[in-house]
Amino acid sequence: MERVPILKLGDILIISIQIDLDDQSVLSLQEDLAERVVATGARGVVIDITAVEIIDSFIGRMLATIAAMCRLLDADTVVVGMRPAVAITLVELGLSLGGVRTALDLEKGVAALGHLRGRDTTR
Amino acid sequence: MERVPILKLGDILIISIQIDLDDQSVLSLQEDLAERVVATGARGVVIDITAVEIIDSFIGRMLATIAAMCRLLDADTVVVGMRPAVAITLVELGLSLGGVRTALDLEKGVAALGHLRGRDTTR
């Protein structure tokens, strides 16, 4: 089973989703991420979905779940790299990802996290 | 065909390799990366191989090629997240990745790039 690697930079965790996620890998990712947030004391999580070409309610729910979970662990979540077609599909599906913050790219996502915390989070 | 996403943070590009790379996807990655280095003026490239469980001479050559290519474009390359088993395999195969700089994780890789340039490269 493939696991999505979780990168750490300062107090931010970075996840780049490139594989097709099934139930089991989503569960593993959520568990791994929760453990890493607690172990590292990360204040922010950036999820990059540049490689995601097709999104469905399953992935949408996963993003919302991760954001809610991280919030409980005192970390903010930003989803970055959404393709225009994915945004269109999401809205057409009625999934507006309420509660999930988004930014155009990693750089803007990190800046958004810093803004949320009122400081530079890359340190 | 899947493409490996290239993330940008400050003047560093970050690549996380999670898919099995074949000839075509390696060529695409090299082309995409060279274009991004030039377009963004990036000074450093970090390649994360946390998810790579098996390495062979093909991947080893790719890493060396990318490092050489980036050097010509005035960017340093650091490979991070190598598993212990991968390091053992590489040495057993006689592939010591000469010319490719390595660091334990993304954080140390970014620090190594900053050290190479004599300044903080996350800005």
Side-chain angles (χ1 to χ4, degrees):
Chain A
M1 192 189 61
E2 301 191 78
R3 295 182 99 89
V4 179
I6 302 173
L7 303 175
K8 177 177 177 291
L9 192 62
D11 51 7
I12 291 181
L13 299 180
I14 302 170
I15 301 168
S16 174
I17 295 180
Q18 298 173 31
I19 59 172
D20 291 329
L21 295 168
D22 54 27
D23 289 29
Q24 189 50 51
S25 51
V26 163
L27 283 179
S28 307
L29 174 59
Q30 289 173 348
E31 271 174 36
D32 291 352
L33 182 58
E35 276 169 23
R36 282 296 292 277
V37 168
V38 172
T40 61
R43 311 300 299 263
V45 175
V46 179
I47 304 176
D48 172 70
I49 58 168
T50 313
V52 176
E53 292 179 0
I54 299 164
I55 209 161
D56 54 16
S57 58
F58 177 67
I59 304 282
R61 249 197 334 269
M62 177 199 76
L63 295 174
T65 306
I66 286 180
M69 192 185 75
C70 290
R71 199 174 303 124
L72 290 176
L73 298 172
D74 193 26
D76 297 304
T77 305
V78 180
V79 172
V80 305
M82 189 180 293
R83 293 165 184 245
V86 166
I88 293 168
T89 308
L90 278 175
V91 173
E92 282 175 354
L93 286 173
L95 299 165
S96 56
L97 294 189
V100 180
R101 198 173 301 268
T102 55
L104 265 193
D105 54 31
L106 176 62
E107 222 150 35
K108 294 195 175 69
V110 170
L113 287 174
H115 183 68
L116 285 176
R117 294 285 173 178
R119 61 196 178 80
D120 186 343
T121 53
T122 60
R123 296 297 149 130
Chain B
M1 193 190 56
E2 300 189 78
R3 294 181 99 90
V4 179
I6 301 173
L7 304 175
K8 178 177 177 292
L9 191 63
D11 51 8
I12 291 183
L13 299 180
I14 302 171
I15 302 167
S16 174
I17 294 180
Q18 298 173 30
I19 58 173
D20 291 329
L21 295 167
D22 54 26
D23 289 30
Q24 189 51 52
S25 51
V26 164
L27 284 178
S28 308
L29 174 59
Q30 289 172 349
E31 272 175 36
D32 292 351
L33 181 58
E35 277 169 22
R36 281 294 292 275
V37 169
V38 171
T40 61
R43 310 303 297 265
V45 176
V46 179
I47 304 176
D48 171 69
I49 58 168
T50 313
V52 176
E53 291 179 1
I54 298 163
I55 210 161
D56 53 15
S57 59
F58 178 69
I59 303 284
R61 249 196 335 272
M62 177 199 76
L63 295 174
T65 305
I66 286 180
M69 193 186 75
C70 291
R71 202 175 300 126
L72 290 175
L73 298 172
D74 194 25
D76 297 303
T77 304
V78 180
V79 173
V80 305
M82 188 180 293
R83 290 164 187 248
V86 166
I88 293 169
T89 309
L90 278 175
V91 173
E92 281 176 354
L93 286 172
L95 298 167
S96 58
L97 295 189
V100 179
R101 198 174 301 268
T102 56
L104 267 192
D105 53 31
L106 176 62
E107 222 151 34
K108 293 194 175 69
V110 170
L113 287 173
H115 183 70
L116 286 174
R117 295 284 173 179
R119 61 197 179 75
D120 185 345
T121 52
T122 59
R123 298 292 148 135

